[in-house]
């Protein structure tokens, strides 16, 4: 699974920040940036041999995962303003990572780009990458002098772990760790979005819902079939009979190891990449007020206005949409203006103690007024009233606006998967 662009739109920035994987051609600019930042901040003496290592970004790009934060520069060309390096345990740049951990190193933001949340976006993107590669936790080392960075890590949920502190000569190295939170898992996720029909192919669940949403029209490859190629053939036959392309959800633990290679060989597309974000508790935070003149209604079933708003954005059959949604207990929230017209909707289903948030939509003319945030908070509360103790949601990696909203509400990356589609055309839509 590859995805090159990890957008990180930030409010308050006159130039939006994007985070993406570094390419070999970024190496010179990156190396200069990191060496300059560390020397100018007084973290490394200019004569230290470590400066040459900081400058050698080409080796890092080749041997580790390096992310860069960029802003649009003169004439539209992008300008690199920050970077971070991820080193999974056992790889050349990992100094202290243990099995199952990814180590974050060499975080640096150019001086003229500071104070705008670039470092937070880099760390969040690094955690999402780490979770995507199946890491169970992350670890990093800081120096006493890196106080600003330490405040940032603590704000993002990192925990000081003094028992793992170490030293370089007489210089103390302070260690922080971060645990990837538990995920609901594909079965619980599916229970909150049940397909109209599920067929079994060995251990796999084949969802069929007249093509309405990828989630309800894809295979959960839960386990390893006896004959992988024969199982994929059987799946393709089921979808062909329904007049749809086959779609597989890939990236979950326990799925057949050779599935990705098999789908590559059959020409399946690289897939839309989705992160599962988790909020480990539903405790009420600071109250979030609705904008003036906006009313909020909470119901146990979607009314026609709610459903019409949602289905209109997907372009499918309303009866199928209703059937999928009402297959699981859920709260449906609608924000309306003074005249009763819907401005925003969201759904909070509940399964296995999890709140599953979905279908958040704010009318374009009503955006950036706090409605998305207020509805998300209200949906979590509605799910808590219905028995949920933690929350999750799925968001495409490219949806920078929504990711920024959720990050601000304490959602953190826990898992990543992709939907891979048979090359026969058709658009099942996503939510
Ligand atoms: C994502 C979406 C729901 C946000 O709704 P909204 O009402 O505009 O969001 P809010 O005004 O409550 O903004 C809350 C935070 O989200 C982030 N955000 C929202 N829109 C943003 C944008 N265009 N650029 C950068 N950040 C943005 C900011 O962090 C913002 O906080 P701030 O205003 O204090 O900086 C809206 O853009 C939308 O409906 N998008 C299409 C549907 C969608 O993507 N749904 C989510 C599916 S998972």
């Amino acid at each position: 699974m590859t995805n090159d662009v990890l957008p990180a739109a930030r409010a308050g920035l006159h130039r939006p920040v994007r985070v993406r994987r570094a390419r070999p051609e970024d190496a010179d600019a990156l190396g200069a940036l990191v060496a300059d930042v560390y020397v100018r901040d007084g973290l490394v003496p200019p004569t230290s041999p470590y400066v040459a290592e900081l400058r050698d970004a080409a080796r890092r790009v080749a041997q580790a995962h390096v992310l860069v934060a960029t802003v649009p520069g003169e004439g539209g060309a992008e300008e690199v303003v920050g970077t971070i390096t991820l080193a999974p345990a056992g790889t050349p740049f990992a100094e202290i990572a243990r099995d199952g951990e990814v180590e974050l190193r060499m975080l640096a933001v150019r001086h003229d780009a500071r104070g705008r949340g670039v470092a937070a976006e880099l760390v969040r993107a690094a955690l999402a990458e780490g979770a995507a590669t199946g890491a169970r936790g992350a670890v990093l080392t800081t120096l006493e002098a890196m106080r600003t960075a330490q405040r940032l890590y603590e704000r993002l949920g990192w925990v000081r772990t003094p028992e793992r502190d170490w030293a370089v000569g007489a210089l103390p190295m302070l260690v922080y760790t971060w645990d990837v939170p538990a995920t609901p898992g594909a079965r619980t996720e599916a229970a909150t979005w049940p397909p109209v029909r599920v067929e079994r192919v060995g251990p796999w669940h084949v969802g069929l819902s007249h093509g309405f949403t990828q989630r309800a029209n894809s295979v959960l490859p839960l386990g390893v079939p006896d004959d992988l190629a024969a199982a994929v053939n059987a799946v393709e036959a089921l979808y062909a009979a329904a007049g749809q392309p086959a779609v597989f959800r890939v990236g979950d633990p326990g799925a057949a190891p050779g599935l990705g290679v098999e789908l590559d060989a059959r020409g399946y597309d690289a897939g839309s990449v989705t992160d599962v974000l988790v909020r480990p508790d539903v405790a009420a935070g600071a109250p979030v007020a609705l904008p003036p003149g906006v009313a909020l209604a909470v119901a146990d079933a979607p009314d026609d206005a709610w459903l019409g708003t949602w289905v209109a954005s997907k372009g499918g059959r309303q009866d199928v949409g209703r059937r999928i949604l009402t297959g699981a207990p859920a709260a449906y929230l609608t924000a309306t203006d003074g005249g009763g017209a819907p401005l925003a909707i969201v759904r909070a289903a509940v399964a296995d103690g999890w709140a599953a948030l979905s279908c958040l939509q704010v009318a374009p003319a009503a955006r950036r007024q706090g409605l998305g945030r207020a509805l998300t908070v209200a949906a979590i509360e509605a799910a808590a009233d219905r028995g949920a103790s933690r929350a999750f949601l799925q968001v495409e990696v490219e949806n920078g606006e929504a990711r920024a909203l959720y990050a601000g509400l304490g959602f953190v990356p826990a898992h990543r998967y992709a939907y891979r589609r048979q090359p026969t055309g058709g658009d099942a839509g996503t939510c």
Side-chain angles (χ1 to χ4, degrees), residues 298-318:
V298 183
D300 287 328
D303 62 17
D304 288 346
W306 192 104
L307 206 59
T309 306
W310 180 59
V311 173
S313 70
K314 303 280 136 193
R317 277 172 51 184
Q318 190 148 326

Side-chain angles (χ1 to χ4, degrees), residues 11 360 362 367-373 394 399 401 405-406:
L360 176 65
V362 178
R367 291 185 186 170
R368 300 316 303 264
Q369 296 165 35
L371 263 178
R373 182 187 291 119
Q394 291 111 329
N399 192 344
E401 294 82 8
L405 187 165
Y406 299 135

Side-chain angles (χ1 to χ4, degrees), residues 102-146:
V102 64
E103 188 165 340
L104 272 47
R105 294 196 56 196
M106 299 177 192
L107 170 65
V109 176
R110 226 170 61 183
H111 284 86
D112 60 355
R114 292 194 180 172
R116 302 165 171 185
V118 175
E121 295 299 352
L122 279 164
V123 174
R124 281 197 198 101
L127 291 177
E129 287 278 303
T133 58
R136 291 191 312 275
V139 62
L140 61 81
T141 299
T142 72
L143 303 175
E144 286 279 5
M146 297 173 168

Side-chain angles (χ1 to χ4, degrees), residues 62-348:
Q63 298 184 345
H65 302 293
V66 180
L67 301 180
V68 289
T70 68
V71 294
E74 294 293 312
E78 59 174 19
E79 234 176 80
V80 173
V81 291
T83 175
I84 194 166
T85 295
L86 285 85
T91 62
F93 282 91
E95 289 182 311
I96 59 165
R98 295 177 179 165
D99 261 5
E101 283 182 337
V102 64
E103 188 165 340
L104 272 47
R105 294 196 56 196
M106 299 177 192
L107 170 65
V109 176
R110 226 170 61 183
H111 284 86
D112 60 355
R114 292 194 180 172
R116 302 165 171 185
V118 175
E121 295 299 352
L122 279 164
V123 174
R124 281 197 198 101
L127 291 177
E129 287 278 303
T133 58
R136 291 191 312 275
V139 62
L140 61 81
T141 299
T142 72
L143 303 175
E144 286 279 5
M146 297 173 168
R147 295 257 184 250
T148 310
Q150 287 158 20
R151 280 197 297 277
L152 168 71
Y153 302 138
E154 283 161 19
R155 201 155 44 77
L156 296 180
W158 288 75
V159 175
R160 195 53 197 103
T161 312
E163 62 275 20
R164 292 180 66 179
D165 285 356
W166 54 298
V168 173
L171 189 63
M173 301 280 149
L174 314 186
V175 172
Y176 279 78
T177 53
W178 191 84
D179 288 335
V180 176
T183 56
R187 279 175 201 273
T188 298
E189 288 177 52
T192 67
W193 199 267
V196 171
R197 183 160 64 97
V198 176
E199 297 287 342
R200 298 292 168 94
V201 171
W204 294 353
H205 294 202
V206 181
L208 291 143
S209 307
H210 309 284
F212 193 60
T213 74
Q214 289 195 117
R215 246 190 274 178
N217 290 277
S218 45
V219 182
L220 291 188
L222 303 167
V224 184
D226 295 337
D227 180 336
L228 183 66
V232 176
N233 288 341
V235 163
E236 290 181 346
L238 278 169
Y239 281 110
Q244 299 173 219
V247 178
F248 283 81
R249 171 172 160 153
V250 297
D252 294 300
L259 179 59
V261 175
E262 180 69 29
L263 299 182
D264 286 344
R266 293 176 187 235
Y268 278 57
D269 68 17
S272 60
V273 182
T274 298
D275 276 338
V276 179
L277 307 185
V278 161
R279 198 169 110 162
D281 70 69
V282 290
V288 176
L290 285 164
V294 175
L296 179 67
V298 183
D300 287 328
D303 62 17
D304 288 346
W306 192 104
L307 206 59
T309 306
W310 180 59
V311 173
S313 70
K314 303 280 136 193
R317 277 172 51 184
Q318 190 148 326
D319 60 327
V320 177
R322 188 186 295 277
R323 178 114 181 246
I324 293 168
L325 295 181
T326 55
Y332 297 83
L333 289 80
T334 310
T336 48
D337 66 13
L343 296 175
I345 58 165
V346 68
R347 171 181 185 257

